[in-house]
Amino acid sequence: MSNLKAPSSPSPATNDFRSDTFTTPTPTMLAAMVNASFGDDVYQEDRITTEFQREIARLTGMEDALFMLSGTMGNQIGVRVHLNQPPHSVLCDYRAHVYAEEGSGLAVLSQAMVTPVHPANGIYLTLDDVKKWTVLGDDVHTAPTKVISLEVTLGGVITPMEEIQKISEFAHAHGVKVHCDGARLWNASAASGHSVSEYCQYFDTVSMCVSKGLSAPVGGVLASTYSNIKRARWLRKQQGGGIRQAGVLTAPALVALQEIWPTMKDTHEKTKKLEKDLAALGVVPQIPVDTNFYFIDAKRSHLDMGILLEQCGKFNVKLMDERISLHHQISDEAIESLKAAIAAAVQITKALSSGYVSKATSGGYYITSKMNEYS
Ligand SMILES: Cc1ncc(COP(=O)(O)O)c(C=O)c1O
């Protein structure tokens, strides 16, 4: 114990706006790892893992739950449990992580075709979108839709509960299963006031993450019926996800629910405040800011993203693209620095487009005399 390194404080994520996945384990989580149970979870003998899974089953209102090594594993197995024999297809938003960001897992692991749908409202899928693109029947030319996967939140946006309900009722009426990529369902619940189980009642499988915004170092969890979870356990083993002393991973996950989840409301309020402050600079978002993400609309904000990323470096904040991601470890000081970087980038973009300022080869900017250019 005496050789244990103290957790770095403050977290290295205090100025990291790239993603809420950069959150780091808290001292309580590290202490929980040291004091974890060390049973073998392949034999389902680990006390804390069982406790964590029971807690997720309780929160989701599902029969059972299974710890997953990542959100990707939870999604891929969550969809896979519903699929038997191709031809079959999965319908989802064209931006959905399960389709666009999981290394073609649906094609490789489930032999599934995907119907990526652009929501007509540009924000979230509605029943109309789903009705238009769901493939039903037994036409031999088609790959019938067997699963509809909804991501909640997607881009930080919460699909309204009534829409989820309508999509779910339509799907079930046609024998189609509904999966939720609920990596950030915690955020949806904290922001909307609807409980996690209110959302989950409309889904057959729900995958949630504990390492996005919640600070646990590893993992996610899949919730569903007893029989689906039994099959998921088998598929997880097949994918190399049978975890022996899983308690060291599920102990911090339990702490994440108790210690970090309640702080999400605060993070959302800070994101809303940021939206307001950026509006004063003429900066606007691409999509509604419902939770912890703000996507800069660079075009409508007349902002050059290259210049903004450069200014972020100067103001010591980390950003990688248009997405500003807030989380509980972001400091108030970092938010002020980010706003200063954005304000500077707005000014430089404006000055460059006016033609009175040019970029120097050294990387800085210099005043040019437009008058001289034309004299
Ligand atoms: C919405 C969503 N689902 C799933 C995942 C996958 O999670 P992981 O990186 O743990 O595989 C992510 C990752 O950021 C995500 O944003």
Side-chain angles (χ1 to χ4, degrees), residues 19 21 69-73 75 97 102 151 153 181 183-184 209 211-212 219:
S19 175
T21 59
L69 286 174
S70 66
T72 300
M73 185 180 264
N75 273 338
H97 200 280
E102 297 185 2
E151 189 170 308
T153 66
D181 177 353
R184 296 182 181 82
C209 290
S211 65
K212 286 162 198 71

Side-chain angles (χ1 to χ4, degrees), residues 210-331:
V210 289
S211 65
K212 286 162 198 71
L214 282 189
S215 262
V218 173
V221 60
L222 183 72
S224 189
T225 58
Y226 289 123
S227 62
N228 281 340
I229 293 299
K230 189 173 175 197
R231 183 155 143 78
R233 189 182 293 281
W234 203 322
L235 293 168
R236 188 187 67 169
K237 187 78 177 85
Q238 185 189 59
Q239 291 185 18
I243 313 156
R244 298 296 175 178
Q245 283 69 43
V248 289
L249 304 180
T250 49
L254 259 181
V255 173
L257 303 187
Q258 293 149 3
E259 183 181 80
I260 312 299
W261 189 23
T263 71
M264 269 186 181
K265 258 182 181 303
D266 190 39
T267 298
H268 298 157
E269 273 162 29
K270 287 183 181 179
T271 317
K272 276 278 175 210
K273 164 89 168 49
L274 179 68
E275 179 185 21
K276 220 166 130 201
D277 293 346
L278 293 187
L281 298 173
V283 175
V284 291
Q286 294 173 20
I287 49 178
V289 179
D290 287 348
T291 53
N292 65 322
F293 290 157
Y294 180 110
F295 281 81
I296 301 169
D297 190 328
K299 196 164 172 221
R300 285 201 303 134
S301 306
H302 308 291
L303 188 55
D304 181 309
M305 278 310 293
I307 293 171
L308 174 56
L309 297 183
E310 183 184 275
Q311 291 304 308
C312 283
K314 288 193 178 151
F315 282 86
N316 190 32
V317 288
K318 292 181 186 168
L319 196 68
M320 59 185 175
D321 51 29
E322 286 91 349
R323 185 178 72 178
I324 302 171
S325 172
L326 267 70
H327 51 76
H328 74 105
Q329 282 168 333
I330 288 281
S331 68

